[in-house]
Amino acid sequence: MSGKHDGGGVEGGASEGDGSGVSVPTEQLRERRDELQERAPSRRAVLGTLGAGALGIGLGHWGIPALSDVVGGVEVPAASGSASPPGHHDPGNVLALVPESEVTHRASRDGRWDDPGTWGGSVPDDFARAQIPDDVTVTLSGASTGRLKTLRVDGALAFDPREDSHLRVETLVTTPESVLQIGREGRPVGRRGQARVTFADLGPIDEDWDPERLSTGLLALGEVRVHGAEKTTWTELASHPTSGATTLELDGAPTNWDEGDRLVVPGMNPGANEDEELFVTGIDGSRVSVDRRLDFDHVPPADDLPSYVLNLDRTIRFESESQDVPRRGHVMFMSQAVEVRYAAFEGLGRTDKSYAFTDPQHGNPPEDVPPNPRARYALHFHETGIDTDTAQTVEGVAVDGSPGWGVVNHHSYVDVTDSVTHDVFGAGFVAEAGNERGSFVGNFALRSEGSGDLPDSRDFDSSRDEHDPGDVDDFGHGGHGFWFQGPALTVEENVAAGHRHHGFVFWNRPLVDRELRPGEEIDRIRGTVANFPLEHVDEDRMPFLVDSDHVYDGKVSSAYVPLKSVRNNTTFASGGGMDLSRHQFGWSHERYADYSVVEGFTAFNVGPLVRSWGHVAAPDHGNAEGGNNGISVRYSHNLRVKDARLVWGRGREATEAVVDDEQADEHPERLESVGINRNTPYPFHVVFEGCEVEGFTTGAKPLPRGVTVYRDCRFDNDRDVSVEDGHHWPARRIKLENCTFAGDGEALSVGLDEPDDRGAQEVFADNGGVVLDGRQVYYDAQAPDHVPIPDGEMADQLGRGDLSELFGTDASNLVGKTNRELYAEYGRAVKGHPVPDHASRDERVAGGYVGGDPTGAEAWFDAENADVSEPFRVREDPSAATGRYVVAEGVDASGEPPSEGLLTYEFEVDAGRYRVWSRALGPSGEDDSFWLRVDDGDWIRWGGVGGRRSWAWERAPEPDTEDWHDRRLFDLDSGQHTLTVGFREDGARLDRLFVGPDGRTPIGLGRGLPEE
């Protein structure tokens, strides 16, 4: 990140003073306020309009901003104008902490804090309950206050940027029409002045006075402007530092670094904390001298991968006097007029992510634990609303040491940039509920200890009659850099390092923090509760979502909203790279151009997840929630991952160091790693383009359902791509196109899971399988002479009833027969059919064969492009290839082909052997059949077409022949041909047809991925 220049400088004023040397406007200011009051109902907006241009008044040194400084010239309604539902965030609960009836010191005029005249004779002292009333401005300048019990700001509190100022208060409340100003744009608190806000420890929270445990901290209902001196917050290093070094080479001269600044160089070891804290002793251009020699090497596994340094010092500090978690301060902004730049938040936050919170909206709280309410975070925008054109701003902040979360956007619209979190237990940067707007750009999250629990371990599910205590939808506790419930965010150029688990998590099922409406329920893996206003949905990317039955009261579940922008983020030295979960689950489609895109993600030195009891969670543990995963796709649909770079690096040695010999013998999977992983059997439709995966035990595991595409990827792993078909893994397509396999490991490994983990459907279903550079891949178990059911025991394992249903005969008749014999007698073999004669071995494929290079022309047809007549009709479906499909309604031609209403398609091919495919959907076994004919050939009863819940490609059957090689193949002469489809059962939906040479398999919408 590039450094920024310190504005410096102080303007003088031309208004009435109070003898302190600080200009404070009086009559003119009040007149101006009265004049503007009629134009803006909010006092906060009124104060926001006052600046150096108003009546010639110069207010710069205590910094009431001009309107253009506030929101770019747009007046923002008061926070109370967008009030949230009642609860602990209700402004009434906040104001109840500071009733005017209990005020002991009330400012009576504008002036300096330390002037007794400002307070009518007595400056607030220890345990005071002070108030700055409406129309009064108090300036804190060169003073340290007493340790106040409360401070209520109805007017304005400003910090003089020219001198050190220190406010010490247990609970600071600003009301909706107030202004809290600490520095301003162009006049930040700089090197000539330091500003501190210390949340005093005056004893345990008194729940008789504060039953919601809101107190101790800053509770801001009004306008807040915080401007510290700009500085380089973090940066890449020009050279990687090694053990013994006493200087750091930055990639450019840092802005506003000083001797004594506290730095942290992130460690590269995923198995140990090797972060090193240093202090600056000298700066010479881009060379920075530090106070001691480095203890560790900070060298990534490739020269072109980065190393970094962070600066944690700021000229404005918010801090806790006590580090006892229940007595720490917290910062909660509840106004839409907040701007915080270059401030430190040190030792703040009371919500403890080491155990579940105790005030859940849904579920049962944990038992026998101290109070642990939600929303007491270090820096927190709390339900300020998303229906505004202007984002609130966080820039250049440093959050250091929090037991919960660092920077939190909750039901708000916030831009967070150029900021750092350090030593935050649960997650550094968070979008909490799902409907958040804004951005996280150019931030660095370093080090989180985490709970050691899996990401899903505290989720809530309405369908469960009883819930374990702590299943309350408490997330972001496992030790993560960035945790995002919300997809509608710009997430770019961020770095996460040193985390117990994933650096980045997109967990996109909404957090429902309100009472459920009748008929609503919380599903643990599907986002069914509508929470995101349609007005903020990109209709160009999700045109069909807007008109779908997922819409309720003008809103849709944020789980169905595409990721806005996720680009160029990096994770290293963490127990996982990126977890993509609950994204558009239940909204699968194959419109690749509309998929959410994760672009340019880098993860290196990914390591193990060590649970709280010391055991390692293997990559596939808990639905692929374990460690050593570069990218894990879980319960998600419709994603494109582009240009990812995943390097296991030091993860191997870190894993071997923590998995002892006994664990390795009993659980060898704990030594494994996966570059691109998925859980089973839930993800659908993910495309990986231009990815590099290096050094893992397994480079990639394709999705168990839908379509998985690897295009232009480079693999160099022990096993590059591992395809295993197992229990409950129905029809899927896996396409590898123009991929490179380096190194000595297995490139493409194919096979079936262990026998006891398979069912008849998984073994014998024709699911399309794997296509490698346009050529079909076949398993060893499909060999013509292979005997898939050698004995009765195997028939029992596969399920005799299922076998009988699939083959149309008693299962005992299948025992001992080869694939060739099964296919000749029953038209079915392992994976649908035996290996054809044209297939051969390929050095890239372990455990299988590759079909011959298919030659010949091909033809594609959109079903609705025929002359559609009754009983066929054209209907709309966003998941159809063109958004339209054909279906016959109200008819039955089960016995013989119809003579009317036929769909006819003309095509031309070269002479050869061809297959016919349809992309279809048969909702059930009673409506999944058509009649098919090629030219003047026999009519074919085409049953079992397509998928049941989503569109799928199905091969058309050929009439019985003596030679099993000819099954499902059409011998066509060169020239024109006709394909005719007739209705058989109403309800069967036809989307697209394909005629192609043997060995060519359609995937997705059928014509491949769109070129960029």
Side-chain angles (χ1 to χ4, degrees):
M1 303 298 293
S2 60
K4 297 183 175 67
H5 180 66
D6 181 0
V10 178
E11 284 188 7
S15 56
E16 186 175 341
D18 65 352
S20 65
V22 178
S23 300
V24 178
T26 52
E27 296 302 324
Q28 287 179 309
L29 176 58
R30 293 190 180 97
E31 290 174 2
R32 179 60 170 158
R33 288 174 178 166
D34 293 340
E35 175 186 336
L36 293 175
Q37 186 67 43
E38 297 179 0
R39 289 170 26 197
S42 163
R43 171 170 173 75
R44 176 176 54 77
V46 172
L47 290 178
T49 65
L50 299 174
L55 302 179
I57 302 173
L59 311 179
H61 49 266
W62 60 264
I64 295 294
L67 180 61
S68 60
D69 293 334
V70 179
V71 288
V74 179
E75 294 185 20
V76 180
S80 57
S82 57
S84 304
H88 63 266
H89 52 273
D90 189 329
N93 291 339
V94 176
L95 296 177
L97 299 173
V98 286
E100 294 190 71
S101 60
E102 296 184 5
V103 169
T104 62
H105 295 72
R106 181 175 287 110
S108 57
R109 69 177 190 184
D110 297 344
R112 288 172 56 115
W113 181 284
D114 57 353
D115 181 356
T118 301
W119 302 96
S122 176
V123 176
D125 51 9
D126 290 351
F127 295 94
R129 298 175 183 265
Q131 180 190 16
I132 301 174
D134 185 30
D135 285 335
V136 173
T137 298
V138 175
T139 303
L140 187 62
S141 179
S144 179
T145 69
R147 297 167 67 240
L148 280 63
K149 177 68 175 177
T150 63
L151 173 60
R152 170 174 174 151
V153 180
D154 296 293
L157 173 63
F159 285 61
D160 187 342
R162 301 174 303 178
E163 302 184 59
D164 291 347
S165 302
H166 190 185
L167 174 65
R168 298 184 296 170
V169 58
E170 184 184 74
T171 303
L172 170 59
V173 173
T174 71
T175 63
E177 305 301 325
S178 68
V179 174
L180 173 61
Q181 187 83 48
I182 307 178
R184 63 164 298 178
E185 186 175 3
R187 299 175 196 81
V189 175
R191 281 183 265 183
R192 287 172 293 176
Q194 303 280 316
R196 293 171 62 194
V197 177
T198 300
F199 300 114
D201 179 15
L202 302 182
I205 292 176
D206 181 357
E207 292 191 355
D208 291 334
W209 165 62
D210 178 18
E212 301 289 344
R213 300 184 66 85
L214 271 168
S215 61
T216 310
L218 168 59
L219 307 172
L221 298 170
E223 180 178 319
V224 178
R225 303 295 174 201
V226 176
H227 289 273
E230 298 181 6
K231 69 191 312 172
T232 301
T233 58
W234 63 274
T235 185
E236 288 189 23
L237 294 170
S239 60
H240 305 312
T242 57
S243 174
T246 58
T247 60
L248 304 174
E249 291 286 347
L250 280 56
D251 64 355
T255 298
N256 285 343
W257 282 21
D258 289 315
E259 292 186 13
D261 275 6
R262 180 183 170 213
L263 309 180
V264 183
V265 179
M268 291 286 173
N269 186 352
N273 184 350
E274 294 182 358
D275 301 341
E276 301 202 58
E277 295 192 19
L278 312 164
F279 291 92
V280 175
T281 59
I283 303 170
D284 182 9
S286 60
R287 181 186 293 267
V288 177
S289 301
V290 294
D291 64 318
R292 65 173 181 82
R293 297 180 182 276
L294 292 175
D295 293 327
F296 304 104
D297 292 339
H298 297 265
V299 181
D303 289 340
D304 61 335
L305 291 171
S307 55
Y308 303 91
V309 63
L310 288 67
N311 188 314
L312 299 180
D313 270 306
R314 303 292 185 270
T315 56
I316 298 174
R317 292 164 54 193
F318 294 82
E319 60 192 8
S320 290
E321 191 172 74
S322 173
Q323 289 306 295
D324 184 12
V325 170
R327 293 161 75 156
R328 288 184 175 204
H330 68 107
V331 173
M332 181 184 290
F333 296 119
M334 292 169 279
S335 158
Q336 286 186 349
V338 176
E339 186 176 21
V340 181
R341 301 183 188 271
Y342 298 95
F345 295 78
E346 300 175 353
L348 300 181
R350 286 202 304 278
T351 301
D352 187 345
K353 287 296 178 179
S354 66
Y355 63 103
F357 50 68
T358 55
D359 60 343
Q361 185 73 49
H362 306 282
N364 301 317
E367 300 173 346
D368 302 322
V369 296
N372 188 27
R374 297 169 288 157
R376 311 303 187 257
Y377 308 126
L379 174 55
H380 178 201
F381 289 83
H382 185 72
E383 300 190 353
T384 66
I386 63 174
D387 295 322
T388 173
D389 293 331
T390 304
Q392 300 166 88
T393 300
V394 173
E395 181 181 7
V397 306
V399 176
D400 188 15
S402 170
W405 291 342
V407 181
V408 182
N409 176 352
H410 180 200
H411 289 320
S412 300
Y413 182 17
V414 187
D415 287 335
V416 183
T417 60
D418 195 27
S419 296
V420 301
T421 64
H422 175 246
D423 193 23
V424 173
F425 184 90
F429 296 87
V430 175
E432 184 174 355
N435 68 351
E436 288 78 20
R437 296 175 63 205
S439 64
F440 291 82
V441 176
N443 304 293
F444 201 120
L446 175 60
R447 192 63 52 187
S448 57
E449 181 180 344
S451 63
D453 294 333
L454 301 177
D456 302 352
S457 63
R458 301 178 188 173
D459 61 357
F460 174 81
D461 184 352
S462 298
S463 66
R464 287 180 285 192
D465 294 333
E466 296 182 2
H467 300 274
D468 293 333
D471 288 349
V472 294
D473 270 1
D474 182 18
F475 302 117
H477 50 76
H480 309 283
F482 297 81
W483 180 281
F484 299 122
Q485 303 279 133
L489 300 161
T490 298
V491 181
E492 300 178 354
E493 307 287 347
N494 302 289
V495 181
H499 300 286
R500 186 168 192 163
H501 209 184
H502 309 97
F504 290 82
V505 178
F506 290 85
W507 209 98
N508 292 144
R509 195 208 76 192
L511 171 66
V512 184
D513 47 7
R514 59 166 173 78
E515 293 290 340
L516 293 172
R517 302 183 182 99
E520 287 184 328
E521 65 176 14
I522 297 174
D523 186 300
R524 64 181 301 266
I525 60 176
R526 293 180 185 270
T528 58
V529 177
N531 68 320
F532 195 82
L534 283 177
E535 63 191 88
H536 300 304
V537 174
D538 185 347
E539 293 190 34
D540 291 337
R541 295 182 66 189
M542 298 293 286
F544 302 104
L545 179 62
V546 174
D547 298 324
S548 74
D549 57 6
H550 294 290
V551 176
Y552 180 87
D553 194 24
K555 297 180 180 179
V556 69
S557 170
S558 55
Y560 301 132
V561 176
L563 300 175
K564 183 177 181 181
S565 180
V566 181
R567 299 181 58 202
N568 300 336
N569 299 291
T570 300
T571 295
F572 65 93
S574 299
M578 179 180 290
D579 185 40
L580 295 158
S581 184
R582 277 74 172 176
H583 175 70
Q584 296 195 3
F585 189 62
W587 181 255
S588 63
H589 62 84
E590 294 169 294
R591 302 186 307 276
Y592 299 117
D594 295 335
Y595 281 11
S596 292
V597 178
V598 175
E599 185 173 1
F601 177 65
T602 300
F604 62 91
N605 289 353
V606 175
L609 169 63
V610 181
R611 308 300 299 278
S612 57
W613 52 89
H615 287 175
V616 168
D620 287 330
H621 183 74
N623 287 314
E625 295 179 77
N628 278 322
N629 283 314
I631 294 176
S632 186
V633 180
R634 304 186 301 113
Y635 305 109
S636 293
H637 297 163
N638 317 330
L639 286 164
R640 295 177 74 174
V641 179
K642 301 176 63 175
D643 301 326
R645 187 177 183 190
L646 311 174
V647 183
W648 196 22
R650 295 185 64 182
R652 188 183 295 268
E653 66 181 71
T655 303
E656 291 173 349
V658 73
V659 178
D660 56 32
D661 292 341
E662 182 178 351
Q663 281 193 70
D665 290 339
E666 295 182 5
H667 300 281
E669 71 278 4
R670 293 179 182 174
L671 288 169
E672 296 181 355
S673 61
V674 183
I676 301 172
N677 206 359
R678 77 293 177 269
N679 70 323
T680 59
Y682 299 101
F684 279 63
H685 308 326
V686 181
V687 179
F688 300 93
E689 303 171 76
C691 298
E692 296 185 30
V693 186
E694 178 183 342
F696 293 86
T697 57
T698 299
K701 292 185 177 182
L703 275 60
R705 297 190 185 192
V707 176
T708 308
V709 177
Y710 303 100
R711 185 171 72 169
D712 300 326
C713 294
R714 179 183 178 276
F715 297 96
D716 185 0
N717 308 274
D718 297 351
R719 181 187 300 110
D720 287 328
V721 179
S722 178
V723 179
E724 294 179 344
D725 279 356
H727 190 49
H728 296 311
W729 293 16
R732 62 174 177 177
R733 301 287 192 272
I734 301 164
K735 181 177 182 180
L736 294 97
E737 179 180 299
N738 196 34
C739 292
T740 301
F741 304 99
D744 299 326
E746 294 180 356
L748 175 60
S749 175
V750 296
L752 298 173
D753 274 355
E754 294 299 319
D756 60 355
D757 201 26
R758 301 181 311 202
Q761 184 71 25
E762 287 72 45
V763 173
F764 294 104
D766 180 3
N767 67 0
V770 183
V771 177
L772 175 62
D773 290 333
R775 300 165 65 187
Q776 186 76 35
V777 175
Y778 305 91
Y779 298 179
D780 280 349
Q782 291 178 261
D785 294 332
H786 175 70
V787 179
I789 311 176
D791 50 37
E793 182 180 354
M794 178 61 73
D796 292 339
Q797 289 181 359
L798 295 175
R800 288 180 176 270
D802 292 337
L803 287 170
S804 297
E805 183 177 348
L806 280 171
F807 285 85
T809 186
D810 189 271
S812 61
N813 296 327
L814 310 176
V815 175
K817 286 185 168 60
T818 65
N819 279 320
R820 177 187 290 109
E821 292 169 331
L822 290 171
Y823 199 72
E825 293 182 46
Y826 306 106
R828 190 179 295 276
V830 171
K831 309 312 295 178
H833 56 91
V835 176
D837 288 343
H838 59 70
S840 61
R841 294 292 187 181
D842 188 303
E843 63 180 6
R844 296 172 296 174
V845 179
Y849 304 79
V850 175
D853 189 9
T855 59
E858 61 185 31
W860 298 90
F861 311 102
D862 292 319
E864 71 274 12
N865 286 345
D867 183 9
V868 180
S869 59
E870 294 289 345
F872 282 114
R873 295 176 183 173
V874 177
R875 301 297 188 203
E876 294 187 354
D877 183 345
S879 294
T882 64
R884 306 170 75 204
Y885 66 92
V886 172
V887 62
E889 298 178 341
V891 294
D892 185 351
S894 300
E896 61 182 29
S899 59
E900 298 178 343
L902 303 176
L903 305 174
T904 302
Y905 306 91
E906 304 291 335
F907 64 98
E908 182 177 355
V909 295
D910 301 327
R913 312 182 79 188
Y914 289 84
R915 297 189 189 276
V916 177
W917 299 74
S918 73
R919 187 174 189 265
L921 192 155
S924 73
E926 285 72 44
D927 47 13
D928 65 349
S929 184
F930 294 103
W931 290 98
L932 172 74
R933 181 169 65 180
V934 177
D935 296 331
D936 294 325
D938 294 334
W939 282 100
I940 300 169
R941 183 181 290 110
W942 190 356
V945 299
R948 293 292 178 265
R949 295 189 299 176
S950 60
W951 299 96
W953 286 100
E954 187 76 25
R955 273 186 279 226
E958 172 73 354
D960 292 343
T961 66
E962 294 297 325
D963 188 350
W964 67 270
H965 289 98
D966 290 337
R967 296 291 294 274
R968 300 173 182 254
L969 288 170
F970 295 82
D971 285 311
L972 301 180
D973 297 330
S974 178
Q976 292 286 334
H977 297 273
T978 302
L979 180 66
T980 305
V981 178
F983 60 85
R984 183 166 184 265
E985 297 171 327
D986 65 352
R989 304 174 187 180
L990 184 62
D991 176 27
R992 178 167 277 181
L993 293 157
F994 170 63
V995 180
D998 184 24
R1000 193 165 296 169
T1001 303
I1003 284 181
L1005 296 182
R1007 296 183 185 270
L1009 300 178
E1011 296 298 329
E1012 296 298 326

